[in-house]
Amino acid sequence: AQSVTQLGSHVSVSEGALVLLRCNYSSSVPPYLFWYVQYPNQGLQLLLKYTSAATLVKGINGFEAEFKKSETSFHLTKPSAHMSDAAEYFCAVSDTPNTDKLIFGTGTRLQVFP
Amino acid sequence: EADIYQTPRYLVIGTGKKITLECSQTMGHDKMYWYQQDPGMELHLIHYSYGVNSTEKGDLSSESTVSRIRTEHFPLTLESARPSHTSQYLCASQTGDYGYTFGSGTRLTVV
């Protein structure tokens, strides 16, 4: 069965610092991987997705993620954190090409300090 | 601007009451989903639908039921609410490989 593990339920960075949110996946088939962001009292918004094309995926708001099969990882990064990046981030996996029935990780809460 | 709408946003209700959480989308998507989200926990799929008159249970067992009579409408019903049903319920829709579009969620508290 597919699953994702997000290391670190809370991550704190200073404004302008590098953001690194970790996600490792488990899948018996080539996975399709996603990062979503959830701001307080809102639904989830798609940041980026990997669907077996380029291994480095660029998303919205300056975020990007790199698919590393050898490490079964899909970590999310942003070179310079902004206060507005404070939110909950979810990694998700699907084993179907049409990205059906996503399986989500437990989430990582990102805090950004001035 | 959201294309998928959930109402109510917040609901506090007594034990034993029947409730319906509404979810509507204006994008013509065939596939729709309900996820349950507890604080600090991952989202769990509880129901999904691939189109009108198609509904299936998800990976997490739930006492709720759903219906899909119209493409745009995917309501979730609890016949008799209990405190264990207290959670956030998120509705989503999807077409092709464009990922999910989520509603803002309904935060349910059963007292």
Side-chain angles (χ1 to χ4, degrees), chain A residues 41 49 98-100 102 105, chain B residues 9 31 33 35 50 94 97:
Chain A
N41 299 316
K49 62 182 178 182
N98 58 3
T99 66
D100 193 23
L102 296 185
Chain B
R9 288 292 308 277
K31 296 179 181 178
Y33 310 84
Y35 281 83
Y50 289 161
Q94 182 226 356
D97 65 348

Side-chain angles (χ1 to χ4, degrees), chain B residues 75-89:
Chain B
L76 180 146
T77 298
L78 277 166
E79 291 292 333
S80 180
R82 295 208 302 266
S84 61
H85 296 141
T86 294
S87 188
Q88 173 154 253
Y89 294 85

Side-chain angles (χ1 to χ4, degrees), chain B residues 16-67:
Chain B
K17 298 293 186 182
K18 177 180 179 179
I19 59 170
T20 296
L21 308 184
E22 300 289 346
C23 176
S24 296
Q25 50 100 359
T26 60
M27 299 169 285
H29 291 170
D30 288 323
K31 296 179 181 178
M32 295 189 73
Y33 310 84
W34 276 103
Y35 281 83
Q36 184 174 336
Q37 181 185 25
D38 293 320
M41 304 288 285
E42 62 265 47
L43 285 74
H44 289 288
L45 180 66
I46 53 175
H47 297 284
Y48 61 98
S49 168
Y50 289 161
V52 171
N53 294 326
S54 156
T55 61
E56 300 287 345
K57 289 188 179 295
D59 302 324
L60 180 68
S61 176
S62 174
E63 294 169 343
S64 59
T65 59
V66 293
S67 62

Side-chain angles (χ1 to χ4, degrees), chain A residues 2 29-36 46 48-53 74 92-104, chain B residues 29-33 35 45 48-50 59 92-102:
Chain A
Q2 288 68 37
V29 298
Y32 295 84
L33 294 156
F34 306 81
W35 276 99
Y36 283 84
L46 179 66
L48 50 81
K49 62 182 178 182
Y50 167 76
T51 58
S52 75
F74 190 57
V93 65
S94 171
D95 63 348
T96 62
N98 58 3
T99 66
D100 193 23
K101 294 187 286 179
L102 296 185
I103 297 167
F104 288 85
Chain B
H29 291 170
D30 288 323
K31 296 179 181 178
M32 295 189 73
Y33 310 84
Y35 281 83
L45 180 66
Y48 61 98
S49 168
Y50 289 161
D59 302 324
S93 69
Q94 182 226 356
T95 184
D97 65 348
Y98 299 109
Y100 285 11
T101 300
F102 278 89

Side-chain angles (χ1 to χ4, degrees), chain A residues 19-37:
Chain A
V19 175
L20 171 61
L21 305 181
R22 301 178 184 273
C23 173
N24 288 88
Y25 69 90
S26 172
S27 176
S28 58
V29 298
Y32 295 84
L33 294 156
F34 306 81
W35 276 99
Y36 283 84
V37 60

